[in-house]
């Protein structure tokens, strides 16, 4: 059996004008703004092959999520019946990983300008993957 | 600034006949087999709303990945030019999180039968999300 906990490292951070959860749309396609992803400069080689026009999945750590919640009202609307967190994209879940599909608009060294990205300013980034 | 490391917890484990990386297809759509996801029984409430026919994203921890590699030959084929890991789905990357899109075939309490899933037996599962 494998171990039960893993050391997830911040590889970068979201820089965004969004600084408030209530202002953030629930999903990126609902008006998510442009944002910058500032990658750790030591990881810049990992961006080889990422260019303007690339579509990426951005994995974030939703540090404001509640890790002890197993059922939520979808979209924080109490008129929606409770659902298991694994049937929702709620930020509250045992491992509050966010998943955001974005287009790369610009690459500037270790920094990527992307849209749409609904994560608030300061959100840690933990992985980037190409959309297949 | 947020902290630089996060405590990712195993929420379940893959049970599969695949027990060897070389036997595992590179992507699920290339012949990934059926597998079971055995969720921690304490997290069963989180599956409310997940049913046969649901499409899920399974996030795994690819514990055999090399976290210090920033460029790889895609698909482990040295005739492919080196690319940055963030432009590939390589298991070797700073945070070796795997992302697998599957269909739920059966729900049995805290256990899900899914396909296709190319992860080897014993791979830790760290999150489940609905496909939007």
């Amino acid at each position: 059996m494998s171990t039960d906990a893993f050391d997830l490292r911040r590889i970068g951070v979201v820089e965004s004008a969004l600084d408030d959860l209530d202002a953030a749309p629930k999903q990126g396609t609902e008006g998510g703004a442009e944002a910058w992803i500032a990658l750790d400069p030591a990881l810049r080689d990992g961006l080889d092959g990422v260019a303007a026009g690339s579509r990426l999945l951005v994995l974030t750590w939703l540090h404001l999520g509640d890790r002890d919640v197993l059922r939520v009202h979808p979209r924080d609307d109490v008129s929606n019946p409770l659902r298991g967190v694994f049937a929702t994209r709620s930020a509250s879940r045992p491992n509050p990983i966010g998943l955001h599909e974005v287009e790369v608009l610009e690459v500037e060294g270790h920094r990527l300008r992307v849209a749409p990205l609904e994560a608030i300013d300061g959100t840690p980034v933990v992985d980037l993957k190409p959309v297949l």
Side-chain angles (χ1 to χ4, degrees), chain A:
Chain A
M1 180 60 77
S2 50
T3 56
D4 286 350
F6 314 104
D7 170 42
L8 192 67
R9 303 173 195 154
R10 188 169 67 92
I11 65 165
V13 66
V14 173
E15 296 176 358
S16 169
L18 281 175
D19 57 4
D20 172 341
L21 264 189
D22 294 329
K26 295 296 173 202
Q27 294 298 332
T29 51
E30 297 172 17
E34 282 187 21
W36 285 89
I37 294 173
L39 203 71
D40 178 343
L43 302 178
R44 179 174 168 173
D45 284 352
L47 291 178
D48 256 20
V50 174
S54 299
R55 295 200 66 82
L56 290 181
L57 297 170
V58 179
L59 279 69
T60 56
W61 186 256
L62 301 170
H63 52 302
L64 303 181
D66 181 339
R67 305 186 68 171
D68 296 319
V69 165
L70 290 176
R71 283 196 179 96
V72 295
H73 294 287
R75 305 177 61 88
D76 296 327
D77 180 341
V78 294
S79 69
N80 289 326
L82 282 170
R83 279 176 85 95
V85 290
F86 301 126
T88 81
R89 291 288 187 107
S90 171
S92 292
R93 53 205 313 116
N95 289 307
I97 296 172
L99 185 63
H100 321 261
E101 183 174 337
V102 302
E103 181 179 351
V104 177
L105 304 176
E106 183 181 352
V107 180
E108 200 182 88
H110 63 286
R111 294 164 50 83
L112 306 176
R113 186 162 61 88
V114 303
L117 184 57
E118 81 275 24
I120 62 172
D121 189 58
T123 300
V125 174
V126 298
D127 200 10
L128 302 171
K129 297 183 186 297
V131 174
L132 293 181

